[in-house]
Amino acid sequence: MWLSGRPWLRVLVQGCFNLRRLIAVSTWGGCRGPMAETSSTGAEAAAGLKTPAQQNGDVSGDASGELLSGSPEPVGPGVEPAREDGKPTQASEEQAPVAASGSGKRKKRRDATRERVVPPPKKRRAGVSFGDEHFAETSYYFEGGLRKVRPYYFDFRTYCKGRWVGHSLLHVFSTEFRAQPLAYYEAAVRAGRLHLNEEPVQDLNIVLKDNDFLRNRVHRHEPPVTAEPVRLLAENEDVVVVDKPSSIPVHPCGRFRHNTVIFILGKEHQLKELHPLHRLDRLTSGVLMFAKTAAVSERIHEQVRDRQLEKEYVCRVEGEFPTEEVTCKEPILVVSYKVGVCRVDTRGKPCETVFQRLSYNGHSSVVRCRPLTGRTHQIRVHLQFLGHPILNDPIYNSVAWGPSRGRGGHIPKTDEELLRDLVAEHQAKQSLDVLDLCEGDLSPGLIDSTAPSSELGKDHLEELAASAQKMDGVVDAAPQDLDTMALAPGKAAETDFVNQEIDPLCAECRLVRQDPLPQDLVMFLHALRYKGPGFEYFSPMPAWAQDDWQED
């Protein structure tokens, strides 16, 4: 009121307020960066999140053993799919900053002994971006009804984690990279496989500094998947819709890279720069949608958030399912993100699934499922709770859950005991890939102590290091013309490409694994229909859902 008669005074006072606000914002902005970085590092350490450096669509390993063992790989950048029955999306992890972006020039860091050159992180892209150099890393071949990937060399990259700063590489390997014995890492150094700031590591006692950049070459083996092709259901200027076979992951994760829908579409259909609009479990088949542009992706994701997308699945379950419609609203809790196991629990997140029986053959029932929410493994967990698990579900129809197999939420064991028994069961069957695990992922509490060890003695590793060093020199000089080989599998089989399928230091090369049968890679859960504003896509009914289907 007292300013009403003095407009010039009101302007002066408002200007003072604005100046004080500007000073406060500037001061906060100056200290916000370090605080945000510290907060991110703390959350990463607490939750074990992956924070990879991006290299043209590549993603690096993290502190769980990927950098030097070549095991799990996070998903591509910018993927924020709607949840179906898959594991939690890691898109938010991909978007976490790994270092200051800078102007794109190489950043130089000096210490008492030498100058270190740290490559800046690449600019992140909105979609899953893989180029021809990634598709050319290796080739496919088909055998016994399976699609297989020839073993290949791959560089894992990562920036130094905050918790590693001030510690030696030897300390980091012995505490966080326990998938291999220290003798292996020493042999890898002698073979020239480990680089720090793009210089070969000479001594594992070197102390890590903030923003150090590590790169290591590993020999990768991918598990086989079904040889069934990825069929195109529809394609227009906005979307690509495919019929995903069971056993093939949507995008690179765990030990899978080339045996993924993203890579198969890029290599065999020349469909690249795709944006997954939703996810399916690796063992789930059916309708899978990709957007061709970021704008289309955002529009459909907005429809998903507004619950405008209708999803319909079909499955075959144990026993005689009720004839009337059944709605399950039991909350679901994630028991383990690493193993990928959930259960009904009052502490879980609310969810709802509607079930309707379609047929019954005297032993099993075909059931239509309409998930109204998108929790992890929602359909599978709700069917287990109802006492009608999917007939061949390798997780939720397992004896590891107890005599009732989780019916009514009755599980007579702790979560730790459940996880241990599930891992032991699949370890005995050599089917850890069902849990998206490999031997290097297993913590001491989950490892079966009776399982044979694949470790080699230190003396043997020393002998192999020299051989590996020679081989690496040949491989580096070899032409990377693998796209031609991929297009002509028969010709590729006749070509001795420096025999990069065998690596002296690779433990996987020394293992003899029995191939799964093609029918073992199929789970009876199929995404039948996806409908949204202005679109609707169907997949054919699978053979196991037909009325005349008979169990083996």
Side-chain angles (χ1 to χ4, degrees):
M1 294 295 293
W2 63 276
L3 292 175
S4 59
R6 298 178 175 83
W8 60 270
L9 185 57
R10 181 166 61 250
V11 173
L12 179 61
V13 171
Q14 184 64 41
C16 291
F17 284 152
N18 290 341
L19 180 60
R20 291 181 65 184
R21 180 186 301 172
L22 181 61
I23 294 172
V25 170
S26 176
T27 303
W28 168 246
C31 61
R32 182 182 177 188
M35 290 182 66
E37 184 175 291
T38 303
S39 176
S40 173
T41 302
E44 174 191 314
L49 296 182
K50 296 173 177 148
T51 313
Q54 188 63 28
Q55 297 276 345
N56 296 325
D58 269 339
V59 279
S60 71
D62 72 348
S64 59
E66 289 88 331
L67 177 66
L68 286 173
S69 66
S71 48
E73 179 179 7
V75 300
V79 182
E80 187 64 50
R83 299 302 308 129
E84 296 300 329
D85 290 307
K87 290 188 176 182
T89 179
Q90 301 183 42
S92 59
E93 300 166 20
E94 289 295 323
Q95 294 163 356
V98 294
S101 57
S103 61
K105 297 181 180 179
R106 288 181 176 268
K107 179 189 289 186
K108 296 184 178 181
R109 304 182 67 234
R110 298 177 180 271
D111 60 16
T113 59
R114 62 181 178 178
E115 180 182 85
R116 291 187 177 181
V117 179
V118 181
K122 299 289 185 177
K123 181 180 179 181
R124 301 187 186 283
R125 301 184 182 181
V128 177
S129 174
F130 295 99
D132 291 338
E133 69 273 20
H134 305 112
F135 297 135
E137 290 167 341
T138 185
S139 60
Y140 299 117
Y141 67 102
F142 297 87
E143 182 179 72
L146 302 174
R147 177 191 292 266
K148 297 183 177 182
V149 173
R150 301 184 188 281
Y152 58 100
Y153 286 98
F154 179 81
D155 283 350
F156 277 95
R157 303 173 174 91
T158 186
Y159 283 91
C160 178
K161 306 293 185 288
R163 61 184 178 275
W164 300 352
V165 174
H167 294 285
S168 67
L169 275 174
L170 185 66
H171 172 81
V172 172
F173 293 154
S174 61
T175 57
E176 298 200 36
F177 293 91
R178 292 175 293 186
Q180 300 282 358
L182 280 178
Y184 165 81
Y185 300 123
E186 293 168 351
V189 167
R190 287 191 295 275
R193 302 238 175 136
L194 179 63
H195 291 74
L196 181 65
N197 302 322
E198 299 302 347
E199 296 181 13
V201 172
Q202 305 294 334
D203 187 354
L204 287 177
N205 289 311
I206 187 171
V207 176
L208 296 174
K209 299 181 179 180
D210 186 32
N211 209 37
D212 273 352
F213 180 71
L214 291 95
R215 176 172 62 86
N216 185 70
R217 169 165 291 185
V218 297
H219 198 236
R220 293 193 66 164
H221 294 248
E222 297 193 23
V225 298
T226 178
E228 185 179 346
V230 178
R231 298 182 178 88
L232 297 182
L233 297 176
E235 181 184 0
N236 55 42
E237 60 184 7
D238 291 335
V239 299
V240 173
V241 186
V242 304
D243 190 0
K244 183 186 94 67
S246 183
S247 80
I248 305 180
V250 176
H251 45 61
C253 59
R255 298 175 65 205
F256 296 91
R257 180 172 168 83
H258 290 263
N259 263 347
T260 61
V261 176
I262 285 284
F263 265 69
I264 292 172
L265 289 177
K267 295 174 75 162
E268 297 185 349
H269 297 274
Q270 288 70 56
L271 292 168
K272 305 170 184 178
E273 302 285 342
L274 298 178
H275 305 248
L277 294 174
H278 60 96
R279 286 172 56 151
L280 296 176
D281 267 358
R282 184 167 64 84
L283 295 179
T284 303
S285 58
V287 178
L288 181 62
M289 297 175 59
F290 297 89
K292 287 188 173 181
T293 66
V296 173
S297 174
E298 177 55 34
R299 185 180 76 234
I300 296 181
H301 279 145
E302 187 173 343
Q303 296 170 356
V304 172
R305 290 190 291 268
D306 293 340
R307 302 288 181 90
Q308 296 179 339
L309 185 66
E310 298 179 17
K311 301 164 285 185
E312 183 177 321
Y313 293 74
V314 65
C315 61
R316 183 172 286 277
V317 304
E318 279 198 354
E320 184 177 2
F321 200 85
T323 55
E324 67 276 8
E325 185 176 88
V326 175
T327 300
C328 186
K329 297 183 179 181
E330 298 295 330
I332 291 179
L333 177 72
V334 178
V335 176
S336 169
Y337 285 104
K338 183 166 193 146
V339 181
V341 177
C342 305
R343 63 176 172 83
V344 165
D345 192 284
T346 55
R347 299 169 296 166
K349 294 182 179 180
C351 50
E352 182 176 358
T353 316
V354 179
F355 300 99
Q356 178 66 60
R357 192 178 90 181
L358 299 180
S359 65
Y360 175 59
N361 66 1
H363 300 283
S364 59
S365 306
V366 175
V367 178
R368 181 177 60 195
C369 319
R370 290 189 296 117
L372 304 184
T373 50
R375 305 301 180 197
T376 303
H377 293 183
Q378 176 176 323
I379 293 174
R380 299 163 66 181
V381 174
H382 275 175
L383 286 169
Q384 180 198 49
F385 179 85
L386 295 173
H388 298 280
I390 293 174
L391 196 62
N392 60 351
D393 191 324
I395 296 178
Y396 298 101
N397 197 6
S398 164
V399 295
W401 295 85
S404 61
R405 302 201 178 191
R407 180 171 188 167
H410 178 64
I411 307 170
K413 56 182 69 177
T414 65
D415 289 348
E416 291 73 18
E417 292 171 338
L418 172 64
L419 292 174
R420 183 197 62 207
D421 293 346
L422 277 170
V423 169
E425 177 183 336
H426 288 285
Q427 192 178 24
K429 296 177 181 177
Q430 291 191 355
S431 60
L432 284 175
D433 292 315
V434 169
L435 303 175
D436 289 335
L437 291 175
C438 61
E439 296 286 345
D441 294 325
L442 302 182
S443 61
L446 294 178
I447 294 177
D448 179 4
S449 60
T450 63
S453 172
S454 61
E455 295 182 0
L456 290 182
K458 182 175 181 179
D459 292 341
H460 195 179
L461 281 170
E462 289 178 351
E463 295 174 5
L464 295 177
S467 174
Q469 190 172 20
K470 293 178 182 178
M471 177 176 289
D472 284 354
V474 176
V475 171
D476 283 334
Q480 299 293 320
D481 188 20
L482 293 182
D483 263 345
T484 304
M485 298 169 62
L487 296 175
K491 189 174 182 180
E494 301 170 1
T495 305
D496 182 15
F497 180 66
V498 201
N499 197 21
Q500 73 167 342
E501 296 183 31
I502 304 296
D503 180 79
L505 294 185
C506 177
E508 190 73 16
C509 285
R510 299 188 295 274
L511 297 179
V512 178
R513 297 187 183 275
Q514 184 175 359
D515 283 340
L517 298 174
Q519 57 266 31
D520 294 337
L521 298 178
V522 177
M523 185 175 68
F524 298 157
L525 178 61
H526 183 79
L528 191 65
R529 180 178 70 98
Y530 273 74
K531 180 181 179 181
F535 66 86
E536 185 172 12
Y537 299 106
F538 290 89
S539 171
M541 189 77 80
W544 49 259
Q546 305 294 335
D547 292 340
D548 58 353
W549 181 83
Q550 295 295 323
E551 302 173 35
D552 294 334

